[in-house]
Amino acid sequence: MEEIPKTSKQIFILSGQSNMAGRGGVCKDHHHHNHQYWDKLVPPECQPHQDIFRFSAKLHWEQAHEPLHADIDSKKVCGVGPGMSFANMVREKMRVVVGLVPCAVGGTAITRWGRGEVLYENMVKRAKESVEDGGEIKGLLWYQGESDTSDIHDAEVYQGNMEKLIENVREDLGLPSLPIVMVAIISGDGKYVDKVREAQLRINMPNVICVDAMGLDLKDDHLHLTTEAQVKLGHMLAEVYLKNFAPSWKRFFSCLLC
């Protein structure tokens, strides 16, 4: 098979908070109070591949491997997230080189992702730098909202803040039709999880699709997805992307409905 040029990477931004950064396999260290560690168990669906790359904190491409966000969400212990199972499925189905740009940081409310804020500006900078040597940004995967469930006001203004973020990132990257696949949360820091979920599921913008995480298993902390759930979520995100935004696969799914 002819080797795919690495400069033709299909690039995906991974952003949001801890469930995108990945806490699958992160466990409490019972010998050291408040310490955590990653169990280093990598499912087959999340294994490295020569055609999957990640954009490091130092702004260079390297072979992707779990945990994808170790040098990005660096103040927390990172484990398995949805990124690698997503990338492996997209790579396998489309026969492409996949580039992942991890940007998620745990415990971050959506206001910290507003234009002018450090996290937002860093995400945009990393995305722009990622295409300097070729490749094309194909989508933004977003999983965030748990930190907006504690305050009723935050929950009520979530939809407007998310819609503004989508508008801003598309404008700042010069990609007005950039596909956004976001996740509707199933957990949170407070009692307004349902309000944030409803806001996420209500968003109706072109090329924006919401994947519902309802039904996926949570760890004992009732906040973070298990490793197995992260694998499933990655596949859900990939299926939605392939069905709605990959030209050849859009035709395939349309034929299935004929």
Side-chain angles (χ1 to χ4, degrees):
M1 185 180 293
E2 185 179 351
E3 185 176 355
I4 305 165
K6 301 297 185 278
T7 53
S8 65
K9 288 187 294 291
Q10 300 208 354
I11 297 170
F12 298 88
I13 305 162
L14 311 178
S15 200
Q17 55 181 116
S18 57
N19 272 316
M20 178 57 79
R23 300 292 188 263
V26 174
C27 311
K28 286 184 179 179
D29 185 344
H30 297 293
H31 298 290
H32 298 87
H33 187 60
N34 289 334
H35 282 211
Q36 294 184 316
Y37 66 95
W38 177 46
D39 63 15
K40 298 187 179 181
L41 298 178
V42 180
E45 300 91 341
C46 301
Q47 292 294 329
H49 189 277
Q50 63 180 7
D51 288 333
I52 302 178
F53 296 85
R54 72 180 289 275
F55 203 54
S56 74
K58 295 182 178 179
L59 305 179
H60 64 78
W61 287 107
E62 60 188 23
Q63 187 173 25
H65 59 81
E66 298 286 9
L68 285 173
H69 279 78
D71 60 349
I72 301 297
D73 192 12
S74 57
K75 293 181 180 179
K76 306 286 178 64
V77 176
C78 294
V80 174
M84 285 301 291
S85 61
F86 168 86
N88 269 306
M89 187 171 182
V90 170
R91 172 197 59 77
E92 181 181 339
K93 300 296 186 184
M94 296 187 67
R95 303 296 184 200
V96 294
V97 173
V98 177
L100 302 174
V101 183
C103 298
V105 176
T108 53
I110 198 166
T111 51
R112 293 186 60 190
W113 293 94
R115 183 184 268 161
E117 296 291 330
V118 171
L119 291 178
Y120 175 86
E121 297 300 333
N122 190 49
M123 174 176 68
V124 170
K125 176 186 177 182
R126 287 174 54 71
K128 289 180 175 179
E129 291 277 353
S130 74
V131 295
E132 284 296 307
D133 66 347
E136 184 179 354
I137 297 173
K138 291 293 187 177
L140 165 63
L141 308 184
W142 178 264
Y143 191 166
Q144 185 277 337
E146 294 93 342
S147 289
D148 293 275
T149 62
S150 297
D151 184 272
I152 183 64
H153 173 74
D154 293 341
E156 287 176 341
V157 298
Y158 188 91
Q159 182 177 349
N161 284 333
M162 186 65 211
E163 289 172 346
K164 189 63 178 174
L165 187 154
I166 292 169
E167 292 171 1
N168 287 344
V169 76
R170 285 173 166 173
E171 181 179 345
D172 291 342
L173 294 179
L175 299 170
S177 301
L178 177 68
I180 313 283
V181 184
M182 57 184 292
V183 181
I185 62 170
I186 54 169
S187 60
D189 299 332
K191 60 183 180 180
Y192 299 109
V193 173
D194 287 343
K195 278 197 171 295
V196 174
R197 272 179 54 79
E198 289 163 9
Q200 293 170 327
L201 293 166
R202 264 198 315 269
I203 291 174
N204 182 20
M205 300 173 72
N207 287 357
V208 178
I209 297 180
C210 190
V211 171
D212 196 345
M214 187 62 72
L216 295 178
D217 291 335
L218 294 171
K219 295 163 57 177
D220 291 341
D221 62 9
H222 305 295
L223 183 63
H224 297 112
L225 297 184
T226 64
T227 296
E228 295 77 12
Q230 287 286 17
V231 172
K232 289 180 184 176
L233 178 62
H235 288 166
M236 291 162 64
L237 294 169
E239 286 169 3
V240 163
Y241 174 77
L242 292 169
K243 180 179 178 180
N244 293 277
F245 302 117
S248 60
W249 279 83
K250 284 174 74 173
R251 291 195 295 272
F252 171 75
F253 281 103
S254 296
C255 290
L256 286 180
L257 298 175
C258 293

